[in-house]
Amino acid sequence: MYPTLLSVLAALVAAVLLLIPAAPAVAQSLFFTDPTPRNAITMSIAWPAPIERYDVHVYYLPTSYEQRAEAAALKEKIARLFPMFPMSPMHDRAIGPHPMPMFEVDVIEAKDFAVFVPWLALNHGSLSVLIHPQTPDHVANHDGYALWLGPRLPINLSMLRQLMEHEKRNGGQV
């Protein structure tokens, strides 16, 4: 059985709070009101191998002006509050294994995951969000290792299996 988003988030929050001397006050400001730390907390947190980073895909309905506007507003808010995250443009059509229009956010540093994902859980609105690690196993990344906010969408896993076979035949090159 795969971990639920709630259990993963609870474990991450608990781990981070153990490292913070003024945990209750800092947790309140970090996780629920403002994602910018108000004091000089320094933490050394790294991804466990083989995770390189996390990708976050925010989906919106192709036929809904309202959902596209909601996604664009969320993207703008993420860019303002989390300027350290690279983001893709809005893809107004299905792309790769993704079944719907979306944009992508890359969470490069492990320390940022513990702040961003709880914030996103409270702010994704009506949008479905796929959160997955980047490891060499593309299928597991998008399926067994994946976390979802909102309704789970069908990812084209056969396309990812073909990609992995191609990489295997070509020594890891796409």
Side-chain angles (χ1 to χ4, degrees):
M1 168 142 308
Y2 304 118
T4 65
L5 176 59
L6 187 57
S7 64
V8 170
L9 290 176
L12 283 169
V13 170
V16 169
L17 293 180
L18 288 174
L19 300 173
I20 301 172
V26 173
Q28 182 70 17
S29 68
L30 285 177
F31 294 110
F32 298 108
T33 56
D34 181 357
T36 307
R38 289 190 170 24
N39 57 18
I41 298 171
T42 57
M43 292 181 266
S44 178
I45 299 173
W47 299 119
I51 297 173
E52 297 173 11
R53 69 175 191 274
Y54 265 77
D55 291 346
V56 177
H57 301 273
V58 179
Y59 300 97
Y60 53 95
L61 293 170
T63 57
S64 172
Y65 172 81
E66 291 81 11
Q67 266 213 341
R68 189 188 191 289
E70 181 181 4
L74 180 62
K75 185 177 190 293
E76 187 176 299
K77 192 170 188 178
I78 292 168
R80 190 174 67 254
L81 295 174
F82 302 94
M84 72 291 267
F85 295 157
M87 280 194 279
S88 76
M90 302 277 287
H91 298 289
D92 287 327
R93 60 179 177 78
I95 185 169
H98 304 283
M100 295 173 58
M102 59 96 184
F103 69 89
E104 180 178 341
V105 179
D106 294 332
V107 181
I108 308 297
E109 300 292 330
K111 65 181 175 52
D112 296 328
F113 186 93
V115 175
F116 180 61
V117 173
W119 178 88
L120 190 59
L122 298 177
N123 290 279
H124 70 92
S126 71
L127 307 171
S128 287
V129 181
L130 165 62
I131 302 165
H132 71 81
Q134 272 296 346
T135 76
D137 190 336
H138 303 303
V139 174
N141 292 345
H142 290 80
D143 189 31
Y145 301 158
L147 305 170
W148 284 90
L149 300 173
R152 185 179 182 129
L153 301 174
I155 300 297
N156 186 344
L157 298 177
S158 65
M159 178 184 284
L160 296 171
R161 286 186 193 94
Q162 290 173 1
L163 173 63
M164 289 180 65
E165 283 299 318
H166 179 79
E167 287 178 349
K168 190 175 181 180
R169 285 191 303 272
N170 295 295
Q173 301 298 313
V174 176

